[in-house]
Amino acid sequence: GNTLCADCHADKVEKVAFAHAPMQKSGCASCHVPHGGPNPSLLKSESPDALCATCHNQKSGGKDSVVTTHKPFASGKCVSCHEVHGSNFKGMLKDRADTLCFSCHRDKENAFLKTHTHAPVAEGDCVACHKPHTSDQPKLLRARGADLCATCHQDLMTIPEGTKAHPPFQKGECVACHDPHGSDNVGLTRTAQKEMCLGCHEKQKAGTSAKSIHPPFGKGLCTECHNPHSAKLDALTVAPIPDLCFGVCHKTMKENLAGMETHAPAEDDCLTCHGPHSGTFEHLTSQPVYEICEGCHALDDFGATHIGIEAKDVHCPNCHDPHGSKDPKFFKPEVHPPFSARECDACHKEKK
């Protein structure tokens, strides 16, 4: 039994956290012949892998289901990864999983050293995602695409009814945006957020050279306004407009508008006047101000009330606050006395 063998082979029977089952049940004679034989180490089979297969043949999986096979396993080198008698590492591994894997995959160790590391990689748990012997998926993965991610991120992967989903997320293409091992970008994104998003969103890419650019968009902080996975709102915005605008960046404007007469677009939909990403004119507008105003306000008789001046020749915000005012006509609080008395002709001659 083991006790007798231990008189000479004490190092083989040391207590370990994960002992080989035959060592505990039947003893050394489960794998070795006691007197002599033709095989190395007095094994009962001609090679270690052949001996392992007498108990572990199920590890190969059915031939029809195997897509990828780990090279050491395919070549019968079980002992290149496993200690045959027992080990202090789960699975009777010779070392921590990542240390063992990197002994062959040397190019990956430095490649995975990033600012942000996927938790299984940081914990050295390669087998959390990869099977060590065979798999019915490419790269020895335990499951296909998003199904694998869902083993840890189930809450995130569930798309509630009535929710709109980002197409790559909906298709289960997590690795289209995320690096599964590590990244120098927050969220394990494959590239900087702006570069990645604009890789698909060509329309927004054209706005990067516009005259006015929304600061979050210019800085590549797309997720300041959009949820990258799913949301109940159009365009995957994290809040409805104008709450999104007032809640994130323009809190002061919301405070200032309290108690004022609020311009309808400012109260209902900022995008009536402003573009969400960029504008060909100032303040994220895509057309001259008078044309924006004309979308709601009939300007046919503009000249009649503005001493003959045409709308295209003035800048409405010079006199009117486009967001809100205590004046019913949205005039600004500080005005020139003749103007406040509506005596424009005191300074301006009527155009004919």
Side-chain angles (χ1 to χ4, degrees):
N2 289 356
T3 303
L4 180 60
C5 298
D7 289 341
C8 294
H9 305 286
D11 61 317
K12 304 301 183 186
V13 293
E14 291 178 353
K15 188 174 181 179
V16 291
F18 302 94
H20 198 191
M23 288 285 290
Q24 292 181 311
K25 295 178 181 178
S26 306
C28 307
S30 300
C31 299
H32 302 276
V33 294
H35 301 108
N39 302 317
S41 302
L42 297 177
L43 294 177
K44 285 187 172 181
S45 298
E46 61 183 12
S47 63
D49 60 300
L51 182 61
C52 295
T54 59
C55 293
H56 303 288
N57 57 350
Q58 76 276 13
K59 291 294 185 182
S60 63
K63 288 185 178 180
D64 294 337
S65 67
V66 174
V67 173
T68 49
T69 303
H70 198 196
K71 288 183 179 180
F73 178 75
S75 57
K77 296 179 180 178
C78 306
V79 295
S80 64
C81 297
H82 302 280
E83 288 285 2
V84 293
H85 298 103
S87 162
N88 286 318
F89 297 97
K90 188 177 180 180
M92 291 175 23
L93 294 178
K94 287 189 169 184
D95 207 331
R96 206 176 92 147
D98 60 336
T99 302
L100 194 60
C101 295
F102 290 143
S103 66
C104 289
H105 302 284
R106 293 184 179 89
D107 60 320
K108 301 301 182 183
E109 185 168 13
N110 287 331
F112 294 168
L113 289 175
K114 302 292 184 179
T115 306
H116 305 278
T117 306
H118 195 195
V121 178
E123 294 164 4
D125 192 11
C126 306
V127 294
C129 299
H130 301 277
K131 287 187 174 182
H133 300 108
T134 64
S135 172
D136 59 359
Q137 301 296 326
K139 300 182 179 180
L140 293 172
L141 292 175
R142 289 190 172 275
R144 182 183 298 275
D147 291 337
L148 177 61
C149 300
T151 58
C152 292
H153 305 288
Q154 183 60 55
D155 291 345
L156 176 64
M157 305 300 292
T158 302
I159 303 176
E161 186 177 351
T163 298
K164 298 171 177 62
H166 194 199
F169 177 69
Q170 190 170 37
K171 295 174 184 176
E173 299 172 350
C174 306
V175 294
C177 298
H178 302 281
D179 190 300
H181 298 106
S183 170
D184 288 328
N185 303 297
V186 175
L188 296 178
T189 55
R190 289 190 171 276
T191 62
Q193 194 177 123
K194 182 177 181 179
E195 180 184 346
M196 184 174 66
C197 297
L198 294 181
C200 292
H201 299 283
E202 291 290 334
K203 181 179 178 181
Q204 282 71 35
K205 186 176 183 178
T208 56
S209 59
K211 182 173 183 178
S212 58
I213 297 175
H214 195 197
F217 175 66
K219 295 174 183 177
L221 302 176
C222 307
T223 52
E224 288 281 309
C225 300
H226 304 278
N227 188 305
H229 299 110
S230 63
K232 291 184 178 181
L233 301 169
D234 291 334
L236 301 181
T237 51
V238 298
I241 295 173
D243 294 344
L244 175 63
C245 305
F246 289 148
V248 178
C249 298
H250 304 288
K251 293 180 180 179
T252 302
M253 181 179 291
K254 182 178 182 179
E255 294 169 358
N256 291 340
L257 290 175
M260 288 186 178
E261 185 79 21
T262 305
H263 194 199
E267 189 170 35
D268 300 326
D269 187 359
C270 308
L271 302 186
T272 302
C273 302
H274 304 281
H277 300 104
S278 61
T280 51
F281 293 84
E282 291 181 334
H283 306 300
L284 301 177
T285 56
S286 59
Q287 57 190 137
V289 172
Y290 82 91
E291 290 185 7
I292 296 175
C293 298
E294 196 171 31
C296 297
H297 305 282
L299 302 182
D300 296 337
D301 61 345
F302 184 87
T305 56
H306 293 78
I307 58 174
I309 301 174
E310 296 297 326
K312 63 182 179 64
D313 296 325
V314 299
H315 186 61
C316 304
N318 282 344
C319 301
H320 304 278
D321 191 304
H323 299 108
S325 170
K326 291 185 178 180
D327 185 278
K329 296 294 185 180
F330 295 100
F331 286 122
K332 294 183 175 181
E334 296 295 329
V335 294
H336 193 205
F339 178 77
S340 61
R342 307 296 189 266
E343 296 175 351
C344 303
D345 54 358
C347 301
H348 300 276
K349 299 300 180 183
E350 184 174 353
K351 287 190 175 183
K352 297 182 180 180

